[in-house]
Amino acid sequence: MESIRGRLAASCFTLAALVCLAGLLGWVLNYPPLRTTLVGFPSAWPPTLAANLVLAVTLVAASLPRALPRRRAAVVGSGVAAVALALLAMSMLSEQGGSPVSCLLILLLGITTQILFRSDRDGAPIAAMIAALVISFALLMLAGQILATEVRGGAVQPWHIPILTNVAELLLGLGLLLTATDRTLAEYRASGDERWPMPLRAVPALMVAPALVLAADLILFGSPEFPETTEIWGMLANTLIVGSVLLWAIARLTRQRSTLRMYAATLDAQPIVMTDRAGRIIHWSRGCADLFGFTAEEALGKVKAELLQTRPVEGVTEDALAADTSGVWRQRRWVETARDGGRVQVLEHAHEVEDREHGSVTVLSITDLGPMLRAQSAIAESDDCLLLAAEAHKIGIFEWDVASGKLTWFANTEPLLGVPLGTLTDYASWQEVVFPEDRDLMAKRLDAAVWSKADQISLSYRLRLPDGSIRAIEGSARCFYDEAGALIRTVGVNIDVTDRVQQTAQLAAREAQMRSILETVPSAMVVIDIHGRILSFSPAAERLFGHSANDVIGSNVSLLMNDEFGLRHDGFLAQYLRTGQRRIIGRPRMLTARHADGSEFPIELHVGEAVYQDNRVFTGFITDLSERLRNEEQLAQLSSELTQIGRINAMGELAAALAHEINQPLSAIANHIATAEVILESEQISDPLHERLFNQLRATREQALRAGEIIRRLRDFVARRDIDLRVEPVEAAIREASALVLVGAQRLDVSIDYDLAPEAPFMFADKIQIQQVLVNLMRNALEALRAIAADQRTIRVATRKLDGDRIEFSVSDNGPGLAKPILDRMFLPFNSSKGEGSMGIGLLICRRIVEAHGGKMSAENNEHGGATFRFTVPGGERTLGEY
């Protein structure tokens, strides 16, 4: 607090804190004079002293600038009130408690603090009233204590308050009263003015005047006995009445003063000058200082006409005055000079008033005409600009008076619509040149606008001029209605859009033609911008890529490419825009595109570039090469097969010749072995070596005969003879083929595992040819296992029953598997992974054998290494006679 009342209140709070501290020290030091100042009176109760001390310290801190927030002071006040309420109950229920009256005053002081610091000014009058009651009661108690001293012969009463507590509460109440009244009267005080009128300065004393009078009466003229209860209640009622009247009067004075200050500030902001009879300035408002630049100190006492170099406006005579019926008010336009030399044109209103000090005073209310003149100049300039714009854009500005039907054109803009001047003078002449169908449509629109009381109506119609030409007109108009809702006039614009309509029609025709071309052209078309975003997606592109135009427009074109090219596309585009070096534009490219389902297909891409209005786009025409490449591949494959067939035919002839030549020595070998068997049989020798030799000769003869049979079958196969289909046991055929493969291969340490399906014991096939297939597959497996450790080489031969009464054979190994290029061309002729030593026709012959049996042959790599070859043959059942 910086006011005198604030500093006085802070002093009261400080004194109260010192009194409470002295009482508490008396209890701590056990020094009775500090606990009670009058003999025979009760000592101050420590809890009440502590409560008063806490409240006093809080108020001292709150009175200091930025020492304690107001909300915290209010919280402390609430806490002290709660403690006082508890002490009051204790003092009334227990004889060891303190004075109930003292506890009640502490409760009121806490409530006052809470109300005062919770809000700024709204609770200040209420806090002032409660503080006045506390002071009045404390004064009355203090007077009673003085009256009851031994000097006056009185006796101490039970309601007497301990003197220290009484003084502390009196000081706290006085400080709170000063603080509350200071905040209540804060709005009355002018800015920077700390002085109040004398009646306002005495407000705190007047609020406690009834208690002061009663206390003085008790001390000076009263009896030793305390006054009656009625006198006490009367004093409190008088305090409330006086305080309420004072605060109500203060609030009213404050509102009036605030209103007057607002009016004065408002008037002071306006340019107002007061002059005496000699024309000297006796009042110069802040508005005048802002308008002319002269301060009040520079203007007061000067003649206004000389200070401002006042002169009439050119073209306006002094007779151009305006006055009211009494002839008192006058107004005149002047040109006056500001402090910086600038010219200010003003409208001055003069009014004569009488003043006690200066006699007749002229009050001059000045209006700056500068903004109005600038606005008029701006309007004129705007009209000129509007006319220029109307001429540039062929805009006719009109007003239609509905009652008279008259059409008025702003600045004769009627010819801007291609209409001769004076052609459209009223509504009837306008209807004569408007197309009948457009006239009916405009009439319906106008009726709908009037019915809905629309503020605006749009215009669109065609005019047929006398020379036979047709003009297309568009525009809008603002509608005005009377109180009854009837249309009285419209103001709007008409724009000649004939050229635009023709261009739009031509553009629409070209767009329709282009759309028709794009919808029928077989190549897909995609248009992108410099950021790679798709701008256009033709129907052919939708069919080719499987995307709809709505889904891809706005997306990056990379979604139509495979990963390899799509990730680099934006970089290629940025490099071209930076360097201008063309790589694709104007040159056909073979690329791989991506379908909506994720599949990839080959395309041929032609890219073109277009630049328009600082925009650059790229157009791509895309052709699907899948069908063409398939055709080319089929042609290449057919050519290759024809070549291979020639080679196979040649090989067939060679095989036939070899079979013929080899059959003769094989037959001779078989005959010689048979002869050796006969000789051995004729010799009755029981030597074990003789028996072994005989068995070996017999096995050799069987294999020689079997080799001859194979050669015969091969010759029959090459000669395209029918195969010898019979019901053969599956397991026997497999084990015979395995034994043939393992002859001379034991050194490879290969183990053969069999997994034969018991439900498929027989096959309907040529046993020799199927064994030829098995032998070829197992020998290929042996070759693959050479790269595997000896103790890990395994060949697995398995069969299983398939649907349709077919048997599937499979030969698997755990070798390194087949490379993908080999796997893709596995069954083509002269394709081998064994090097130059192999002709590469073994698997081809195997596939031909399987296909001749109506089966299929395939190959695949195993998941955990190695490869598996599969082929199918028909299954069979042996009859009882064949067992």
Side-chain angles (χ1 to χ4, degrees), residues 648-811:
I648 291 174
N649 290 335
M651 185 189 69
E653 295 177 358
L654 177 62
L658 288 175
H660 177 73
E661 295 297 332
I662 293 174
N663 251 340
Q664 293 182 3
L666 285 177
S667 298
I669 291 172
N671 291 333
H672 287 305
I673 292 174
T675 302
E677 288 178 353
V678 171
I679 294 173
L680 288 176
E681 287 179 355
S682 62
E683 297 292 335
Q684 300 294 325
I685 300 174
S686 61
D687 186 2
L689 181 61
H690 179 274
E691 183 69 21
R692 290 176 59 190
L693 180 61
F694 182 79
N695 293 334
Q696 289 295 328
L697 287 174
R698 186 166 52 188
T700 302
R701 183 174 59 83
E702 290 177 356
Q703 293 301 323
L705 293 175
R706 184 175 180 278
E709 184 67 18
I710 291 174
I711 292 174
R712 186 182 65 80
R713 295 291 186 184
L714 178 60
R715 185 178 60 188
D716 293 341
F717 173 74
V718 173
R720 300 184 181 271
R721 298 177 181 175
D722 294 336
I723 58 177
D724 186 9
L725 298 178
R726 295 182 182 182
V727 176
E728 300 286 351
V730 173
E731 183 175 0
I734 292 175
R735 293 193 178 275
E736 289 177 3
S738 301
L740 184 60
V741 170
L742 293 178
V743 172
Q746 287 83 357
R747 64 184 182 274
L748 293 177
D749 295 327
V750 177
S751 64
I752 299 181
D753 297 334
Y754 299 96
D755 184 10
L756 306 180
E759 63 271 16
F762 298 103
M763 62 180 177
F764 186 67
D766 189 322
K767 176 182 177 182
I768 300 300
Q769 290 191 2
I770 296 304
Q771 285 179 332
Q772 184 179 355
V773 173
L774 290 171
V775 168
N776 196 357
L777 295 179
M778 284 190 282
R779 283 180 177 174
N780 288 342
L782 286 175
E783 293 293 332
L785 291 175
R786 292 183 181 273
I788 304 300
D791 57 345
Q792 297 179 3
R793 299 169 183 169
T794 302
I795 297 176
R796 180 176 178 272
V797 181
T799 61
R800 64 178 179 135
K801 183 73 175 293
L802 300 180
D803 295 338
D805 194 25
R806 301 191 69 79
I807 301 175
E808 180 188 79
F809 290 75
S810 63
V811 178

Side-chain angles (χ1 to χ4, degrees), residues 321-331 349-352:
L321 303 176
D324 59 7
T325 55
S326 62
V328 176
W329 281 93
R330 301 193 306 271
Q331 71 177 25
H349 296 265
H351 181 61
E352 301 290 341

Side-chain angles (χ1 to χ4, degrees), residues 4 110 114 121 193 248 410 437 523 575 613 668 717 743 760:
I4 297 175
Q114 196 273 338
R121 296 188 181 92
D193 184 10
W248 173 80
F410 170 77
E437 55 271 25
S523 297
Q575 182 179 2
Q613 297 179 355
F717 173 74
V743 172

Side-chain angles (χ1 to χ4, degrees), residues 84-97:
L85 187 61
L87 294 177
L88 178 61
M90 187 183 299
S91 63
M92 295 180 66
L93 299 176
S94 175
E95 296 181 356
Q96 278 86 24

